Amino acid sequence: MKKYIIADNQELTGYALQSLLKQNDDNEVYRATDKAGLLQLLKLHEDAVVVLDYTLFDFNDVESLLITSERFAMTSWVLISDELTTEFLQKTIYTSHSFSVVFKDEPMGTIREAINAASCNKRYISQQAMEIILAQSLEPEIPNVLTATEMEVVKAIALGKTTKEIAVERSLSVHTVNTHRKNIFRKLDINTAHELVRYALRAGWIDASEFYI
């Protein structure tokens, strides 16, 4: 049984999402029409998937949304709106792995895939959303100063994997992965994983399809 919270104050959209989510009779579906109601539901169902129309909800700004997602760390979020700014998309995607993104005008199959992915604690970034981000991120080609192994570590970090997970997958010690990480940050003159993802996107090292996971 999976729990869903629809955070959308439009009656028609709320009804459509409720119909979609209740196609599985085992699902529990709740509805919040404002932030206060959403927080109350999250206190009771912290492991729920929140389907949120950010543009029509009463979050003051993206920082408020990110703080809420950090407070309820077990919650997965599907951001579904008519339109989201590039800055908003970059901020949410680069900061947290718990956000999936899809637009209301995309095919029903795409919306269903995003919700199913979030239900399995996986992130789903639709092609349309990723193209918006990449279009804004295009810059002159950046020389690749990393080794093949370092590039693999970059991709793993971008997908939100921990140092321990990377070590297990590549049959390396945690110390070795940490060394690769330090070398990557030094070579690229960056300090955080957030900056690393931005750099990798600008350089074209990360393919949009990799963010479907």
Side-chain angles (χ1 to χ4, degrees):
M1 178 180 63
K2 195 63 185 178
K3 300 175 183 178
Y4 297 91
I5 300 173
I6 301 171
D8 188 311
N9 56 22
Q10 282 190 327
E11 288 292 332
L12 183 59
T13 302
Y15 178 80
L17 288 172
Q18 190 170 30
S19 298
L20 174 63
L21 295 172
K22 283 194 171 181
Q23 288 180 356
N24 184 337
D25 293 334
D26 292 332
N27 291 341
E28 291 185 9
V29 182
Y30 306 91
R31 180 132 185 254
T33 57
D34 57 29
K35 182 181 175 183
L38 174 60
L39 294 178
Q40 287 298 320
L41 285 170
L42 285 174
K43 290 176 183 178
L44 298 173
H45 312 288
E46 189 172 352
D47 60 342
V49 175
V50 176
V51 184
L52 167 69
D53 185 344
Y54 173 80
T55 58
L56 294 178
F57 219 62
D58 60 340
F59 280 103
N60 294 330
D61 50 37
V62 65
E63 296 297 340
S64 178
L65 174 61
L66 292 173
I67 289 171
T68 302
S69 72
E70 291 174 2
R71 177 181 175 187
F72 299 97
M74 295 175 60
T75 304
S76 296
W77 301 75
V78 178
L79 304 176
I80 176 169
S81 298
D82 289 319
E83 185 176 356
L84 294 170
T85 67
T86 304
E87 181 181 1
F88 174 87
L89 290 172
Q90 291 176 334
K91 187 75 172 180
T92 51
I93 292 171
Y94 295 158
T95 303
S96 174
H97 199 71
S98 63
F99 290 102
S100 295
V101 182
V102 68
F103 289 97
K104 287 183 177 179
D105 62 354
E106 297 198 67
M108 183 60 68
T110 301
I111 296 173
R112 187 177 288 110
E113 285 180 13
I115 293 174
N116 289 342
S119 301
C120 298
N121 297 315
K122 296 182 179 180
R123 180 166 68 172
Y124 185 101
I125 310 299
S126 75
Q127 185 71 28
Q128 182 177 334
M130 187 54 65
E131 287 175 355
I132 291 173
I133 296 171
L134 292 176
Q136 191 70 21
S137 302
L138 292 177
E139 293 183 2
E141 184 176 353
I142 302 172
N144 185 357
V145 296
L146 304 183
T147 66
T149 299
E150 288 170 343
M151 287 294 295
E152 291 301 318
V153 173
V154 167
K155 293 178 180 179
I157 293 173
L159 290 173
K161 295 180 180 178
T162 65
T163 298
K164 185 176 180 180
E165 289 172 334
I166 297 170
V168 171
E169 289 181 0
R170 301 192 61 79
S171 299
L172 300 171
S173 69
V174 171
H175 174 74
T176 299
V177 175
N178 276 328
T179 299
H180 283 311
R181 188 184 182 104
K182 290 177 182 177
N183 288 337
I184 291 166
F185 283 21
R186 175 180 54 79
K187 288 181 179 181
L188 303 183
D189 191 25
I190 58 177
N191 299 300
T192 67
H194 178 125
E195 293 175 323
L196 176 60
V197 173
R198 289 198 300 177
Y199 193 108
L201 280 169
R202 291 198 306 269
W205 298 344
I206 301 174
D207 187 81
S209 62
E210 296 181 77
F211 281 83
Y212 281 75
I213 299 173

